Short mmCIF file of all heavy atoms in Angstrom, two decimals:
data_model
loop_
_atom_site.label_atom_id
_atom_site.label_comp_id
_atom_site.label_asym_id
_atom_site.label_seq_id
_atom_site.Cartn_x
_atom_site.Cartn_y
_atom_site.Cartn_z
N LYS I 236 8.89 0.97 9.05
CA LYS I 236 9.97 0.67 10.00
C LYS I 236 9.79 1.46 11.29
O LYS I 236 9.98 0.93 12.40
CB LYS I 236 11.33 0.98 9.37
CG LYS I 236 11.74 0.02 8.25
CD LYS I 236 13.06 0.43 7.64
CE LYS I 236 13.47 -0.52 6.51
NZ LYS I 236 14.73 -0.08 5.85
N GLN I 237 9.43 2.73 11.16
CA GLN I 237 9.19 3.53 12.35
C GLN I 237 8.02 2.99 13.16
O GLN I 237 8.07 2.96 14.40
CB GLN I 237 8.90 4.99 11.96
CG GLN I 237 10.10 5.75 11.41
CD GLN I 237 9.80 7.23 11.26
OE1 GLN I 237 9.29 7.86 12.18
NE2 GLN I 237 10.11 7.78 10.10
N LEU I 238 6.99 2.54 12.48
CA LEU I 238 5.80 2.04 13.16
C LEU I 238 6.10 0.73 13.89
O LEU I 238 5.58 0.48 14.99
CB LEU I 238 4.67 1.85 12.16
CG LEU I 238 4.14 3.14 11.53
CD1 LEU I 238 3.13 2.82 10.43
CD2 LEU I 238 3.50 4.03 12.58
N ILE I 239 6.91 -0.12 13.29
CA ILE I 239 7.29 -1.37 13.96
C ILE I 239 8.00 -1.06 15.27
O ILE I 239 7.70 -1.65 16.31
CB ILE I 239 8.17 -2.24 13.03
CG1 ILE I 239 7.34 -2.79 11.87
CG2 ILE I 239 8.81 -3.38 13.82
CD1 ILE I 239 8.14 -3.54 10.83
N GLU I 240 8.93 -0.11 15.24
CA GLU I 240 9.64 0.27 16.46
C GLU I 240 8.70 0.89 17.48
O GLU I 240 8.82 0.66 18.69
CB GLU I 240 10.76 1.26 16.12
CG GLU I 240 11.87 0.65 15.26
CD GLU I 240 12.91 1.67 14.86
OE1 GLU I 240 12.75 2.86 15.24
OE2 GLU I 240 13.88 1.29 14.18
N LEU I 241 7.72 1.64 17.01
CA LEU I 241 6.78 2.32 17.90
C LEU I 241 5.82 1.34 18.57
O LEU I 241 5.42 1.53 19.73
CB LEU I 241 5.99 3.35 17.09
CG LEU I 241 5.13 4.37 17.84
CD1 LEU I 241 6.00 5.28 18.67
CD2 LEU I 241 4.29 5.17 16.85
N LEU I 242 5.47 0.28 17.85
CA LEU I 242 4.45 -0.66 18.34
C LEU I 242 5.05 -1.94 18.92
O LEU I 242 4.31 -2.79 19.43
CB LEU I 242 3.50 -1.02 17.19
CG LEU I 242 2.64 0.15 16.68
CD1 LEU I 242 2.00 -0.20 15.35
CD2 LEU I 242 1.57 0.52 17.70
N GLU I 243 6.36 -2.08 18.83
CA GLU I 243 7.01 -3.27 19.35
C GLU I 243 7.03 -3.27 20.88
O GLU I 243 7.08 -2.21 21.52
CB GLU I 243 8.43 -3.36 18.82
CG GLU I 243 9.11 -4.68 19.11
CD GLU I 243 10.45 -4.79 18.40
OE1 GLU I 243 10.94 -3.77 17.88
OE2 GLU I 243 11.00 -5.91 18.35
N GLU I 244 6.95 -4.45 21.45
CA GLU I 244 7.00 -4.58 22.90
C GLU I 244 8.27 -3.90 23.44
O GLU I 244 9.36 -4.07 22.91
CB GLU I 244 6.99 -6.05 23.29
CG GLU I 244 6.91 -6.31 24.78
CD GLU I 244 6.82 -7.79 25.08
OE1 GLU I 244 7.78 -8.50 24.75
OE2 GLU I 244 5.79 -8.23 25.62
N GLY I 245 8.10 -3.11 24.49
CA GLY I 245 9.22 -2.41 25.09
C GLY I 245 9.40 -1.00 24.57
O GLY I 245 10.28 -0.27 25.06
N ALA I 246 8.59 -0.58 23.58
CA ALA I 246 8.70 0.78 23.06
C ALA I 246 8.45 1.79 24.18
O ALA I 246 7.62 1.57 25.07
CB ALA I 246 7.70 1.00 21.92
N SER I 247 9.15 2.91 24.14
CA SER I 247 9.13 3.86 25.26
C SER I 247 7.92 4.77 25.27
O SER I 247 7.60 5.37 26.29
CB SER I 247 10.40 4.71 25.24
OG SER I 247 10.49 5.44 24.02
N GLU I 248 7.22 4.91 24.15
CA GLU I 248 6.13 5.88 24.05
C GLU I 248 4.76 5.19 23.98
O GLU I 248 3.88 5.61 23.23
CB GLU I 248 6.33 6.76 22.82
CG GLU I 248 7.62 7.56 22.83
CD GLU I 248 7.59 8.70 23.85
OE1 GLU I 248 6.56 8.89 24.51
OE2 GLU I 248 8.62 9.39 23.98
N GLN I 249 4.58 4.15 24.76
CA GLN I 249 3.33 3.40 24.68
C GLN I 249 2.11 4.25 25.07
O GLN I 249 1.05 4.15 24.45
CB GLN I 249 3.40 2.16 25.57
CG GLN I 249 4.39 1.12 25.09
CD GLN I 249 4.39 -0.13 25.95
OE1 GLN I 249 3.40 -0.43 26.62
NE2 GLN I 249 5.49 -0.84 25.97
N ARG I 250 2.25 5.08 26.09
CA ARG I 250 1.10 5.85 26.55
C ARG I 250 0.64 6.84 25.47
O ARG I 250 -0.55 6.92 25.16
CB ARG I 250 1.45 6.60 27.84
CG ARG I 250 0.27 7.38 28.45
CD ARG I 250 0.70 8.17 29.67
NE ARG I 250 1.71 9.16 29.34
CZ ARG I 250 1.45 10.35 28.80
NH1 ARG I 250 0.21 10.69 28.51
NH2 ARG I 250 2.44 11.20 28.54
N LEU I 251 1.60 7.57 24.91
CA LEU I 251 1.25 8.53 23.86
C LEU I 251 0.70 7.83 22.62
O LEU I 251 -0.25 8.29 21.99
CB LEU I 251 2.47 9.37 23.48
CG LEU I 251 2.84 10.53 24.40
CD1 LEU I 251 4.12 11.20 23.92
CD2 LEU I 251 1.70 11.53 24.48
N THR I 252 1.32 6.71 22.28
CA THR I 252 0.87 5.97 21.11
C THR I 252 -0.52 5.40 21.34
O THR I 252 -1.38 5.40 20.44
CB THR I 252 1.85 4.82 20.78
OG1 THR I 252 3.17 5.34 20.67
CG2 THR I 252 1.46 4.14 19.47
N GLY I 253 -0.77 4.91 22.55
CA GLY I 253 -2.08 4.36 22.87
C GLY I 253 -3.19 5.36 22.70
O GLY I 253 -4.33 4.99 22.34
N ALA I 254 -2.89 6.65 22.89
CA ALA I 254 -3.90 7.69 22.71
C ALA I 254 -4.27 7.88 21.24
O ALA I 254 -5.27 8.54 20.93
CB ALA I 254 -3.39 8.99 23.31
N CYS I 255 -3.48 7.32 20.34
CA CYS I 255 -3.73 7.44 18.90
C CYS I 255 -4.41 6.21 18.32
O CYS I 255 -4.58 6.11 17.09
CB CYS I 255 -2.41 7.69 18.15
SG CYS I 255 -1.48 9.10 18.72
N LEU I 256 -4.76 5.25 19.17
CA LEU I 256 -5.38 4.01 18.71
C LEU I 256 -6.90 4.08 18.80
O LEU I 256 -7.46 4.69 19.72
CB LEU I 256 -4.88 2.83 19.54
CG LEU I 256 -3.41 2.43 19.39
CD1 LEU I 256 -3.05 1.35 20.41
CD2 LEU I 256 -3.14 1.94 17.97
N HIS I 257 -7.55 3.42 17.86
CA HIS I 257 -9.01 3.29 17.86
C HIS I 257 -9.35 1.83 17.57
O HIS I 257 -8.68 1.18 16.76
CB HIS I 257 -9.65 4.17 16.79
CG HIS I 257 -9.31 5.62 16.90
ND1 HIS I 257 -10.00 6.49 17.71
CD2 HIS I 257 -8.33 6.35 16.30
CE1 HIS I 257 -9.47 7.70 17.61
NE2 HIS I 257 -8.46 7.64 16.76
N ARG I 258 -10.38 1.32 18.20
CA ARG I 258 -10.82 -0.04 17.91
C ARG I 258 -11.35 -0.12 16.47
O ARG I 258 -12.11 0.75 16.03
CB ARG I 258 -11.91 -0.48 18.88
CG ARG I 258 -11.40 -0.80 20.28
CD ARG I 258 -12.53 -1.37 21.14
NE ARG I 258 -13.09 -2.58 20.54
CZ ARG I 258 -12.63 -3.81 20.73
NH1 ARG I 258 -11.56 -4.00 21.50
NH2 ARG I 258 -13.20 -4.85 20.17
#
Side-chain angles (χ1 to χ4, degrees):
K236 290 177 181 177
Q237 290 189 49
L238 294 173
I239 290 174
E240 294 176 359
L241 191 65
L242 294 166
E243 190 172 12
E244 186 177 63
S247 60
E248 300 288 358
Q249 293 183 24
R250 183 184 61 81
L251 280 177
T252 307
C255 304
L256 292 173
H257 303 275
R258 286 186 58 87

